[in-house]
Amino acid sequence: MKALRPAPDPYPIREKLAVARKELSSTLIERDEEVDLVLTALLANEHVLLVGPPGCGKSLLLDSVLSWTGGAKFAILLTKFSVPEELVGPVSLAGLKEDKYVRVTAGKLPEADFAFIDECFKGSSAILNVMLKILNERTFDAGDGIVRKVPLKLLGVTQ
Ligand SMILES: Nc1ncnc2c1ncn2[C@@H]1O[C@H](COP(=O)(O)OP(=O)(O)OP(=O)(O)O)[C@@H](O)[C@H]1O
Ligand SMILES: [Mg+2]
C-alpha cells in the first residue's frame, strides 16, 4: 500500500500571496482594492502611497503587510519635530573623532527590506529630500562619498 502524498505546489509564492490576500481582506473591511494595490506593489518592487480620510485603515493595512513580510523592517510615525537621524541613523561619534561625517545606518531606512513611513507629509523638507533619494534612486550615501544601493523592496507611505 502506498501512502497518498499531496503533490507539491508548483507555485508556492502564488499560494502564499493568495493566503495573505485572503487574511488581509478579512481583517480589513471593504479594503480589497487597497490590499491588492499593496500586494501588487510588493510583487512589482515598487513603493506605495495611501491617501485617505483619518481612520480609514491606511496604517492598519501597511502595519499588517509589514508584519507578514520577512527581512529587515523599518517603521516610523513622522511628526513636525522628526529629524533625518530618525530615518537614516545618527552621525557616528567614532567617525567624528577621525574628522569623518558618516552615519550609522544600522536598523534604519537605508538598511531595511520593507519599510512603513506613517504620516510622511508631517516630516520636514530635510526628511522628504532624504526619502526622495531613497525612493526614486534607491541609493544612499552615508557620508563617506560611496553611493550604495538600498535593499528596499517595498516602502509604504501614508498621508
Ligand atoms: N477597513 C477597516 N477594517 C477594519 N478596521 C478598520 C478599518 N478602517 C479602520 N479600522 C479600524 O480603525 C483603526 C484606525 O485605523 P488606522 O489608524 O489604520 O487609520 P488611518 O487611515 O491610518 O488614519 P489616520 O489618517 O488618522 O492615521 C484601526 O486600527 C482599525 O481598528
Ligand atoms: Mg494612520
Side-chain angles (χ1 to χ4, degrees), residues 76-86 122-124 127:
I76 189 168
L77 171 67
L78 293 183
T79 70
K80 61 180 177 178
F81 302 111
S82 301
V83 289
E85 281 69 28
E86 291 171 50
K122 287 195 180 151
S124 64
I127 285 187

Side-chain angles (χ1 to χ4, degrees), residues 24-31 50-63 77 116 118-119 122 158-159:
L24 286 168
S25 296
S26 63
T27 310
L28 285 132
I29 301 154
E30 292 183 354
R31 293 290 174 266
L50 298 182
V51 178
C56 68
K58 303 183 293 290
S59 304
L60 181 63
L61 171 56
L62 290 175
D63 254 342
L77 171 67
F116 168 30
D118 208 357
E119 316 222 342
K122 287 195 180 151
T158 71
Q159 177 195 25

Side-chain angles (χ1 to χ4, degrees), residues 60-153:
L60 181 63
L61 171 56
L62 290 175
D63 254 342
S64 310
V65 171
L66 238 70
S67 67
W68 171 74
T69 60
K73 297 173 202 178
F74 175 77
I76 189 168
L77 171 67
L78 293 183
T79 70
K80 61 180 177 178
F81 302 111
S82 301
V83 289
E85 281 69 28
E86 291 171 50
L87 262 90
V88 290
V91 175
S92 162
L93 290 178
L96 282 180
K97 284 181 189 165
E98 294 170 18
D99 275 351
K100 287 178 187 156
Y101 188 89
V102 191
R103 288 190 186 276
V104 183
T105 55
K108 301 293 183 185
L109 183 59
E111 297 198 10
D113 294 306
F114 302 97
F116 168 30
I117 298 183
D118 208 357
E119 316 222 342
C120 95
F121 297 117
K122 287 195 180 151
S124 64
S125 62
I127 285 187
L128 294 179
N129 279 346
V130 163
M131 271 177 59
L132 186 67
K133 189 144 175 88
I134 294 177
L135 257 87
N136 266 356
E137 296 167 27
R138 295 173 184 262
T139 57
F140 182 71
D141 177 0
D144 51 7
I146 303 169
V147 179
R148 294 179 182 85
K149 274 215 154 297
V150 294
L152 197 62
K153 294 178 184 72

